[in-house]
Structures are given as C-alpha cells and as structure tokens.
Amino acid sequence: MKRRGIWLGLGAILVVVAVGLGLYQQQLRDQANGEPQGGPIELPSTEGEFSLSQLDDDQLAVVFFGYTWCPDVCPMSLAVVRQVMGRLDPEQRRRVVPLMVSVDPERDTLARLEEYLAFFGEEFIGATGSQEALEELAGRYGVIWRKVETPDSAMAYTIDHSASLFLVDRDGEIRRRVLHSPTSGPLQAALEKALAEG
C-alpha cells in the first residue's frame, strides 16, 4: 500500500513535469513564430540616407537582411527578387523598392554593397549601419544572426542569419513576411496581393 502511494506520487510529479515542459516548449514555439514588430528603417545607404518614410504612399520595400560575402542564401534570395521584379509591369515596378540591409558592417561598405547589388538590378538599394543600430533593427524584425569564425577560410568568418523577405510600407508596417524559398512563387504571390491592397 505504501509502495503504491509512492508510485502514485511519482506519477503525479512526472505528469506535472511533463505538462510544465509541454507548456514551456509551446511558449518557445509561440515566441519563435511570433510576428515581428517591424517599424522604421533609417540607415546610410547606397542612395544616401535611406528611410522608409521616403517611400510614396503606394510603394512597398522588399527588405532582406544578409551580407555580400554570403555563399548561397543571399544571392539566391536576391535573384528571386530580381526575377519577380522582371515580371512586374512598369507601374507595379515603380511601386517596389528592393532593399538589402547588410548585417556585416565590418566588410560591407556602401561601395561594396553598390558593386554587389549592381548584379541584381539598378533598383536595388544596399544599406547598413553600426552594430548597435543593426541589432536594434534586426530585433524589431525578428531577424537572428551570428558571426561564425572560420580560421581555415580566406574569409575569416561567415554569418549565419535568418532569410525571410519582408514587404514593408512607408510606416514600417510589415504587410507580408515571405519565408526563404529558392523559387519566386511565394514572393510573387505575396507581392501581388500586397500591391492589390494598395
């Protein structure tokens, strides 16, 4: 009888622990899936001082956080943006401003960004800022990045970073967040809907 009580007590403790862990994991998932806050973007850019507030009322910025030394995700994402831009009619194209925010201010000078983005199109704007400014901005957009030392590589380090595209209006409101995709379909669909909404 006594042993049965011990087992029941242990069972109850395990249930409480399991429920607690489940709730904790759900909370972590909710935080990870939480919608980013967005807000103003004001940074030195390849076009001078950039601010979302400079956009017209009917324009949207396609915002991407990355860096020019990125071996795969960044050029792929920018190529997707270029493909979608190429499919827009002239009026739609006028309403879309592709913006790459570099999270590698140590290497990505504005001159480097300008040279790099020229491969994707003259509409592309590159911007960056101080480490503090980028951390604050990335925090509001739910972007995570970290420097990874690669001492055996000529690059010395790479940067792991999240790779969503954000469709943002002049007020810093995120109209759509498009998860990374090697194909242009998801961005095309999101952009068409956002432009149709005005």
Side-chain angles (χ1 to χ4, degrees), residues 148-197:
V148 180
E149 303 292 342
T150 55
D152 297 330
S153 163
M155 286 198 302
Y157 65 89
T158 61
I159 296 177
D160 288 348
H161 61 93
S162 44
S164 293
L165 296 165
F166 301 91
L167 308 185
V168 188
D169 66 20
R170 69 188 310 273
D171 298 318
E173 179 184 343
I174 298 173
R175 298 286 190 85
R176 299 280 190 286
R177 177 171 59 170
V178 183
L179 299 180
H180 173 69
S181 171
T183 63
S184 59
L187 176 60
Q188 179 97 31
L191 194 51
E192 286 176 355
K193 286 180 183 175
L195 289 173
E197 291 168 359

Side-chain angles (χ1 to χ4, degrees), residues 51-61 91 94-95 97 168-171 175 198:
S51 173
L52 286 174
S53 63
Q54 297 166 349
L55 300 180
D56 294 338
D57 287 340
D58 65 346
Q59 285 186 307
L60 291 173
E91 174 56 20
R94 179 197 66 78
R95 295 177 59 196
V97 178
V168 188
D169 66 20
R170 69 188 310 273
D171 298 318
R175 298 286 190 85

Side-chain angles (χ1 to χ4, degrees), residues 89-139:
D89 65 44
E91 174 56 20
Q92 289 175 317
R93 200 175 175 109
R94 179 197 66 78
R95 295 177 59 196
V96 179
V97 178
L99 174 70
M100 176 178 171
V101 176
S102 172
V103 292
D104 186 10
E106 187 176 332
R107 291 185 296 204
D108 282 345
T109 63
L110 294 179
R112 165 78 182 170
L113 282 165
E114 185 171 24
E115 180 184 14
Y116 179 77
L117 291 172
F119 291 106
F120 299 97
E122 60 184 20
E123 304 99 335
F124 284 71
I125 298 172
T128 192
S130 67
Q131 190 76 14
E132 295 75 23
L134 291 171
E135 285 174 1
E136 190 273 335
L137 175 59

